[in-house]
Amino acid sequence: MASAAEQLAANLNFGALAKADELKKRIWFTLGALIVYRLGTYVPLPGMNPDAVADLFRQQTQSGVLGLFNMFSGGAVGRLAIFALAIMPYISASIIVQLLSSVIPTFEALKKEGEQGRKILNQYTRYLTLVLAVFQAYAIGVGLQGSGNLVLEPGPFFLLSTTITLVGGTMFLLWLGEQITSRGIGNGTSMIIFSGIIAEFPAQLAQTLELGRQGAISTGLLLGILVMAICVIAFCVFMERAQRRLLINYPKRQVGNRMYEGQTSFLPLKLNTSGVIPPIFASSLLLLPTTIASFSQAQGGTGFVSTISTYLAHGRPLFMVLYVALIIFFCFFYTAIVFNPVETADNLKKHGGFMPGIRPGERTAEHIDRVLTRITVLGAGYLTIVCLIPEFMITYAQIPIILLGGTSLLIVVTTTMDTVAQIHGHLLAHQYEGLVKKAKLRGARR
C-alpha cells in the first residue's frame, strides 16, 4: 500500500495541481493570509520615534535574543511593529500546557479524551497565550519608556496603547494561524514563522554580497558558504525523514463466522522527536543575558549581567559548551514529554498488538523506551551538528547572516517538508476522488 502511494505521488505533476480546485483555493488563501501578516510587520506602534528606534535596534537586533525574536517575527521587532510579539507567547503557552499535561492529572485525562480533550487544551492554551502576551507587552512598553527618546509622549496612555496593540497583534496572528491550518495549506503557526524567516533572507543575502564586493569576504568563502548551506539542508532533510520502525503483529481474530488473518504493522519513531524546540530554548536562554546587558548599556548602566554576557558571547568556549549541553538536555526533556512509552504499550495491548519476542505491557514499554533513548542520542547529535556548524561560520568567518543559524534552517526545512507532504496528500485525495467518479460512471453505463 505504501509503495503504491509513493509511486502515485511520484507521478503527480503540475497538471494534477491545475485540476485540483480545492487545493488551489487553499494555496491562494494561505498566500493571502501571509501577505496580510507581512503587511502588519511594517505598521509601527503608535507614539514611537522612528529615527531613535532605527538607531537603537540597528545593533541590538543583530545579536542577543532580540535577533532570534526578530527572525521569528519577520523583522517586526527591529521596526517595533504591531506584530513585534509575533506568536512567541503562543509557542511558550503551548509548551507550558504540554508540560502541565504530563504533570497534572486533570490535564493528562483531557489529553487522553481524544478530539474533545484536545479542543479543551487548545482553549486553555489560548487563555494562557493572552496572559503571557499581556505581561510581555506591558514589559516592552515599560522598557521602551526607559530607553532614552524612543517614545514621543511617555506615560500611562502610551503603556495602555502599546499593551493593547501588541496583545491584539499576537491574538490576531493566533487567529490567522488557525485559519491557515483549517482553510489553507500547512500548519498555520509554522507557516507564519517560516514566512518571516524567508522574508528577511534577501536583505541579509544582499548585505553579505556587499561585503564580498567590498573585499571583506573572499569569493572562495562565499562559495564555501553556499556549498555548506546546501549540504546542511540536505542533511536536515535526510535526518528529519529518518525513522526507526518497530514491528507490530496483530493475531488472528474471528468476527462472527469469519476468521481474519493476522496483520503486521509498524510503530514509527522519528529520529528527531523533539523537532526545533531544543535549539529555540537553548538559544533563548543563552542570549537573554546579552540582550539585558545591551539595554543596560544603552541606559548607561553596567554590572554583573554585562560580565556574564561577555563570557556568553558568540564564539566563546563557554557559549559553545552550554549551547551543546542545553540542546542535548532539551532533546531528551521534550521527547519525554511528547512521547509516553507506557501509554503506547498500553494502547498496543488493548488492541491485541505485540512485538515479536517481547511480552505485552511493561516489557514492551521498556523496549520502546530503550529504543527511543538510543535514537534520541542520534537526534541530539544531529541537532548539535546542525546548530554548531553555522555558529562557527558566523563567529569565525564574520558572516552577518543570522538566517544561517541552525534554528532557522531547521524551521525552514521542516515547514517545507510538512507543506509539501500536505500538498501531495491533497493531490492523492483529488486523484482518488477522480478514479471513484470514473468507476461510478462506468457502473452507471453498464
Side-chain angles (χ1 to χ4, degrees):
M1 186 68 180
S3 60
E6 291 174 358
Q7 182 66 28
L8 184 59
N11 294 332
L12 295 174
N13 50 32
F14 288 103
L17 178 61
K19 297 177 182 178
D21 294 333
E22 177 66 21
L23 178 59
K24 287 191 293 184
K25 290 179 181 179
R26 287 178 171 272
I27 292 176
W28 282 114
F29 179 85
T30 302
L31 292 176
L34 294 179
I35 290 174
V36 171
Y37 160 64
R38 288 304 303 159
L39 291 176
T41 61
Y42 288 90
V43 179
L45 287 172
M48 301 300 300
N49 183 347
D51 295 332
V53 169
D55 292 338
L56 177 63
F57 284 88
R58 185 175 293 110
Q59 298 298 327
Q60 299 290 346
T61 55
Q62 297 300 321
S63 62
V65 74
L66 285 181
L68 186 67
F69 290 167
N70 191 54
M71 176 186 69
F72 289 155
S73 66
V77 171
R79 292 185 286 267
L80 281 182
I82 59 175
F83 290 160
L85 275 182
I87 54 176
M88 295 305 293
Y90 174 72
I91 295 175
S92 302
S94 300
I95 295 172
I96 292 174
V97 170
Q98 287 183 351
L99 289 171
L100 294 178
S101 63
S102 62
V103 176
I104 300 178
T106 304
F107 280 45
E108 187 176 359
L110 288 173
K111 187 178 180 181
K112 296 179 179 179
E113 288 183 3
E115 184 65 22
Q116 186 62 29
R118 188 182 64 83
K119 289 182 179 179
I120 298 176
L121 288 177
N122 286 342
Q123 194 64 25
Y124 288 158
T125 304
R126 295 189 189 99
Y127 293 148
L128 184 57
T129 300
L130 179 61
V131 174
L132 292 177
V134 169
F135 278 105
Q136 293 180 17
Y138 180 78
I140 288 176
V142 173
L144 291 176
Q145 282 196 152
S147 299
N149 58 344
L150 289 178
V151 181
L152 296 176
E153 296 181 4
F157 180 75
F158 170 77
L159 288 176
L160 180 63
S161 63
T162 299
T163 302
I164 294 176
T165 303
L166 290 177
V167 172
T170 296
M171 301 310 294
F172 174 78
L173 288 182
L174 177 58
W175 174 83
L176 190 65
E178 292 177 349
Q179 295 301 309
I180 293 175
T181 302
S182 60
R183 301 172 59 185
I185 286 292
N187 179 276
T189 302
S190 301
M191 291 298 293
I192 289 175
I193 298 176
F194 170 83
S195 63
I197 294 174
I198 295 299
E200 291 296 299
F201 183 75
Q204 296 201 17
L205 180 61
Q207 181 182 0
T208 304
L209 293 178
E210 178 63 21
L211 291 176
R213 189 186 67 83
Q214 296 175 358
I217 300 177
S218 64
T219 304
L221 181 58
L222 288 176
L223 293 177
I225 294 171
L226 177 62
V227 173
M228 184 273 296
I230 295 174
C231 292
V232 170
I233 291 174
F235 181 58
C236 290
V237 172
F238 175 79
M239 297 299 285
E240 290 296 329
R241 293 177 62 90
Q243 294 179 348
R244 170 69 189 277
R245 296 183 177 183
L246 300 180
L247 180 63
I248 306 294
N249 288 335
Y250 292 92
K252 296 181 180 180
R253 57 192 178 94
Q254 184 174 357
V255 179
N257 295 325
R258 298 188 62 179
M259 180 66 72
Y260 291 89
E261 293 291 332
Q263 298 179 346
T264 300
S265 181
F266 293 95
L267 175 64
L269 299 177
K270 286 191 63 177
L271 188 69
N272 180 27
T273 307
S274 57
V276 298
I277 296 300
I280 292 177
F281 269 39
S283 301
S284 301
L285 289 177
L286 287 177
L287 295 177
L288 188 59
T290 305
T291 303
I292 296 176
S294 299
F295 277 109
S296 177
Q297 292 174 1
Q299 298 177 19
T302 59
F304 177 73
V305 177
S306 299
T307 305
I308 295 297
S309 65
T310 302
Y311 288 102
L312 291 179
H314 274 286
R316 292 298 184 95
L318 182 60
F319 175 86
M320 296 295 186
V321 171
L322 291 179
Y323 192 35
V324 172
L326 288 174
I327 288 176
I328 295 174
F329 168 77
F330 283 119
C331 277
F332 284 92
F333 181 73
Y334 197 72
T335 299
I337 293 174
V338 300
F339 191 92
N340 190 342
V342 176
E343 182 180 345
T344 304
D346 290 341
N347 291 334
L348 289 175
K349 187 177 181 179
K350 290 178 183 179
H351 294 87
F354 65 94
M355 296 182 181
I358 301 174
R359 290 181 181 180
E362 184 178 352
R363 295 290 185 182
T364 300
E366 292 176 356
H367 177 69
I368 295 175
D369 183 64
R370 183 167 58 252
V371 174
L372 186 63
T373 301
R374 292 177 178 177
I375 64 175
T376 302
V377 172
L378 296 177
Y382 145 66
L383 288 179
T384 301
I385 293 173
V386 171
C387 293
L388 280 187
I389 291 178
E391 285 292 335
F392 281 117
M393 293 293 295
I394 294 173
T395 302
Y396 297 107
Q398 300 298 316
I399 310 295
I401 302 184
I402 195 173
L403 300 182
L404 282 177
T407 306
S408 56
L409 285 177
L410 286 171
I411 292 175
V412 170
V413 169
T414 55
T415 304
T416 302
M417 291 175 61
D418 291 341
T419 305
V420 170
Q422 286 199 24
I423 292 175
H424 276 173
H426 281 284
L427 290 176
L428 286 170
H430 174 76
Q431 195 161 11
Y432 176 75
E433 292 174 358
L435 293 174
V436 171
K437 290 180 180 179
K438 289 181 180 179
K440 289 182 178 179
L441 288 175
R442 289 175 183 174
R445 290 175 182 174
R446 290 178 182 176

